[in-house]
Amino acid sequence: MKIMSVFEGSRYEKVFVYTRRFRDFVRNTLTFREIDRAVPAGSILHTVTETDRIDNISYQYYGTPDYWWYILDKNPGVDPLDLPVGKQLWIPPISQG
């Protein structure tokens, strides 16, 4: 039973919510979400330029800065605050399901 609200389309939408109790405190908590690191067919290889930021790359490919996390899911070890020029990032297509 989900006690905590997670909005539809959130990357946490399918994550289990449980209640933690400690002394007099009760808190709803999310479990870790599993990340599929496989790069899907149709992905594009983007080479980072001097002016790139992860949110701008998301906007460039998806029309919104909100999917920066999806790019990072497919590019483990990438620091979103320090994108080195010349670094290549996989840009996966957004699944429609």
Side-chain angles (χ1 to χ4, degrees):
M1 176 176 168
K2 288 197 174 195
I3 305 165
M4 177 180 200
S5 174
V6 176
F7 67 89
E8 186 175 338
S10 166
R11 63 182 176 253
Y12 298 101
E13 181 178 19
K14 296 177 183 170
V15 172
F16 181 74
V17 179
Y18 65 96
T19 301
R20 293 180 62 186
R21 289 180 172 79
F22 179 73
R23 297 186 184 159
D24 294 332
F25 298 101
V26 176
R27 177 171 293 169
N28 294 331
T29 305
L30 297 171
T31 58
F32 287 104
R33 72 183 176 91
E34 293 186 29
I35 299 173
D36 179 5
R37 300 284 189 195
V39 178
S43 294
I44 299 168
L45 199 55
H46 174 87
T47 303
V48 175
T49 66
E50 190 173 308
T51 58
D52 277 341
R53 289 191 338 240
I54 197 68
D55 59 327
N56 290 344
I57 295 170
S58 173
Y59 184 81
Q60 178 182 343
Y61 290 97
Y62 304 130
T64 177
D66 298 336
Y67 289 116
W68 58 269
W69 60 269
Y70 194 62
I71 296 169
L72 293 180
D73 280 357
K74 303 303 179 187
N75 294 277
V78 171
D79 181 350
L81 301 177
D82 183 23
L83 295 175
V85 173
K87 174 75 176 169
Q88 293 190 310
L89 302 174
W90 284 109
I91 312 297
I94 295 292
S95 61
Q96 299 299 319

